[in-house]
Amino acid sequence: MTRLGSSMLDTLREHDSSKLDRYLVFGLILTIPSIPFVRFGAGDFQIPLAFLIIGVYACLKLPVLIRDSKPVPMRVSITAMLAIYAAWSAASLLWATTTDLAASRLFIRICQIFFCILVINFCAVGLASVHRMSWLLPLAVLVVVLVGYFGYFTSTNPPHYQFSYEFPRFLGDRNSDTFMILTGLPFALAMLLTGAHGRLGSFLGLVAFVLMALAIFLSLSRANLLVMILVVSILVIADFVLRRGRLRSIMLVAALCVGLVVVVSLVPSDRFVQTITQHEKRFEELEDDTRWGLSVAALELAAEHPLTGVGLNNYPPEFHTTNTGRFWYRAERHKPVPHNSFLSIWAELGTPALALFTMILLWPLASVLRLAPRIMRSQDLLFIHLFLGSLGLSLVLIQGIMAYNFADIFYFWLVYAVNALIIVALDRALRHSSERSLAVRPFAKRGMLFGARQEYL
């Protein structure tokens, strides 16, 4: 009787844990529209709504893990890299010149890394659940995009599209605004290319993609515009290769171009011409951009402290000690921050942390690329859809942080964790599908194999 009761309790815990994991992902995605506008706290300790959900999840999840007798398969490599990165950041307090700044940043970083480790190792969401939620990411970001269009068309003379016109700018400037939009773009494009969510999903993907692409163009963010062009090109080529050059892929790309032309025609001609002129001006002024001074100063600090850096979050005070910072005329009006996460980490934590962070950043891309041969053999729309979305998201995470110091904001790590969940679920489903195929191949037809995979999902 005791053994039977224990078995039933274990089953109930597994069921509750799985449901809790699904609620976490669902809740995190739904909080994305609130990130720029809803926060709690004071000073540097601004807490987004998603942080509260993560806290509740951790309090409910940890007791289940402690009581669970079965060992949890850990993702050793990425967990070790994240843990060492957190430990090195903590050690930087020993050599930081301004320890109060370092301590405040350290608390936030440890929370971000703890969240990623918790989700990557202990959040078990099935592929079917991830697939059902994958359409929520572009639609959640689309809410933010529509807020931006409201400001763009109602303001008398907006200098550029930005969704935070009439709201406090908690997330940042136009670079971080368009970075948020970029994270929804890959799955919107994947919805259109694969049709994995049906005709309605393809239509929603087309609408979301066109609105997001135009918003990024109107934002005047040079780096994010180039990132968008590169990511879209890679995803279209990847879809063409995975689906072996289907005519449908070419027709869908043509539909994207037509959709962009139609939406652009709705923008007032004077504002569109103004945007073109401002883009040309911004690219012409690239050599005189003050970001070059911030980057040069970061390189100076990295050269002076190659092993340890100047300490976590100590770039702003140390900037004025560099040759560039002493003569920077905007230093009194703007807080100096490198517009590149790699340079920021290199200057503050040294070369070891830079190498470690680079490996952490490349882990999703390397993981999803290893799945490509199996996905090509499967020719399953569900697999291709999630592969394209995760591939695009991995590229955005790598390239986007070259435009701004995004690695210090919580949204970057939220997207990183969601992308890791998709990759883990996709890898698990592909492994199980291969094992099931080998087991039933002598007796089953293709339809039976598909049914077996659906039963697992």
Side-chain angles (χ1 to χ4, degrees):
M1 185 68 180
T2 304
R3 185 176 300 174
L4 177 61
S6 176
S7 177
M8 292 177 62
L9 183 60
D10 290 340
T11 303
L12 180 62
R13 286 173 181 168
E14 290 178 7
H15 178 73
D16 290 342
S17 178
S18 177
K19 185 184 297 184
L20 179 62
D21 296 338
R22 291 197 299 269
Y23 287 161
L24 170 69
V25 180
F26 185 76
L28 289 178
I29 294 176
L30 287 183
T31 60
I32 287 177
S34 71
I35 289 176
F37 318 122
V38 180
R39 290 198 177 194
F40 308 94
D44 293 334
F45 293 96
Q46 294 291 335
I47 303 174
L49 185 61
F51 231 68
L52 303 180
I53 295 177
I54 295 167
V56 173
Y57 171 79
C59 293
L60 296 176
K61 184 72 173 181
L62 290 177
V64 175
L65 295 173
I66 293 173
R67 293 195 301 265
D68 194 359
S69 58
K70 296 187 301 182
V72 178
M74 297 282 291
R75 303 277 167 174
V76 178
S77 59
I78 185 62
T79 302
M81 287 188 290
L82 286 169
I84 296 173
Y85 183 60
W88 186 267
S89 299
S92 70
L93 266 68
L94 299 175
W95 57 79
T97 55
T98 312
T99 56
D100 54 339
L101 294 176
S104 63
R105 181 63 230 163
L106 177 64
F107 173 77
I108 299 173
R109 176 162 295 181
I110 288 178
C111 291
Q112 294 167 343
I113 292 177
F114 170 77
F115 159 67
C116 287
I117 292 176
L118 183 67
V119 169
I120 292 173
N121 291 287
F122 306 112
C123 187
V125 181
L127 192 68
S129 298
V130 171
H131 182 255
R132 284 194 295 267
M133 295 175 186
S134 61
W135 64 272
L136 285 177
L137 179 60
L139 294 186
V141 175
L142 186 60
V143 173
V144 180
V145 172
L146 293 177
V147 172
Y149 277 115
F150 175 78
Y152 183 81
F153 286 107
T154 56
S155 299
T156 56
N157 188 25
H160 54 74
Y161 166 95
Q162 188 172 343
F163 64 72
S164 53
Y165 273 135
E166 301 179 4
F167 300 91
R169 295 170 62 173
F170 284 118
L171 189 62
D173 62 2
R174 59 170 167 252
N175 291 305
S176 43
D177 293 349
T178 49
F179 174 71
M180 170 176 274
I181 301 173
L182 272 173
T183 59
L185 196 74
F187 274 101
L189 183 57
M191 287 173 63
L192 172 65
L193 292 176
T194 63
H197 290 285
R199 293 182 178 178
L200 178 60
S202 297
F203 177 74
L204 290 175
L206 174 62
V207 173
F209 175 83
V210 169
L211 292 176
M212 291 177 188
L214 183 60
I216 293 173
F217 172 75
L218 295 175
S219 71
L220 300 182
S221 177
R222 295 165 299 195
N224 287 323
L225 177 63
L226 297 177
V227 170
M228 178 187 70
I229 295 173
L230 183 60
V231 169
V232 170
S233 302
I234 292 176
L235 291 191
V236 170
I237 294 173
D239 177 70
F240 192 78
V241 172
L242 289 175
R243 317 259 312 262
R244 297 184 174 93
R246 293 183 58 179
L247 180 62
R248 182 176 181 273
S249 301
I250 301 176
M251 295 176 62
L252 289 174
V253 173
L256 284 177
C257 297
V258 173
L260 283 171
V261 171
V262 171
V263 175
V264 167
S265 65
L266 301 177
V267 179
S269 58
D270 56 338
R271 292 193 176 185
F272 189 76
V273 172
Q274 179 187 12
T275 302
I276 295 289
T277 304
Q278 289 174 328
H279 263 297
E280 294 175 350
K281 183 179 179 181
R282 284 179 58 78
F283 277 100
E284 290 174 357
E285 295 176 350
L286 190 62
E287 294 182 359
D288 298 329
D289 200 316
T290 54
R291 297 181 189 179
W292 289 113
L294 296 169
S295 300
V296 171
L299 292 174
E300 290 181 35
L301 293 175
E304 294 175 4
H305 311 274
L307 183 62
T308 62
V310 296
L312 185 63
N313 206 27
N314 272 218
Y315 175 89
E318 292 294 325
F319 170 80
H320 302 289
T321 66
T322 64
N323 294 328
T324 304
R326 292 191 188 100
F327 303 101
W328 197 46
Y329 70 94
R330 299 179 65 184
E332 295 181 358
R333 290 187 292 161
H334 297 270
K335 179 181 178 180
V337 177
H339 284 251
N340 188 305
S341 293
F342 291 107
L343 291 178
S344 175
I345 292 171
W346 196 8
E348 294 184 349
L349 297 178
T351 305
L354 175 64
L356 193 60
F357 177 75
T358 303
M359 289 189 289
I360 292 172
L361 195 60
L362 291 177
W363 179 81
L365 180 62
S367 300
V368 75
L369 288 178
R370 281 197 294 266
L371 304 178
R374 285 183 284 168
I375 291 174
M376 183 178 292
R377 288 194 298 268
S378 73
Q379 288 297 298
D380 190 287
L381 291 181
L382 185 150
F383 291 156
I384 295 175
H385 167 76
L386 292 176
F387 173 82
L388 292 177
S390 182
L391 174 63
L393 212 53
S394 301
L395 292 172
V396 167
L397 289 172
I398 294 173
Q399 298 164 344
I401 63 174
M402 296 180 182
Y404 199 72
N405 199 24
F406 295 131
D408 280 339
I409 64 175
F410 171 73
Y411 183 75
F412 175 88
W413 294 103
L414 187 152
V415 176
Y416 186 94
V418 170
N419 190 31
L421 269 182
I422 296 170
I423 294 172
V424 170
L426 191 58
D427 179 55
R428 188 189 308 118
L430 283 167
R431 289 179 184 275
H432 187 90
S433 178
S434 300
E435 294 171 359
R436 184 68 64 89
S437 301
L438 292 174
V440 301
R441 184 176 295 170
F443 312 101
K445 296 181 180 180
R446 183 177 180 181
M448 295 178 64
L449 290 178
F450 184 79
R453 182 166 63 247
Q454 293 299 313
E455 179 184 356
Y456 165 70
L457 297 174

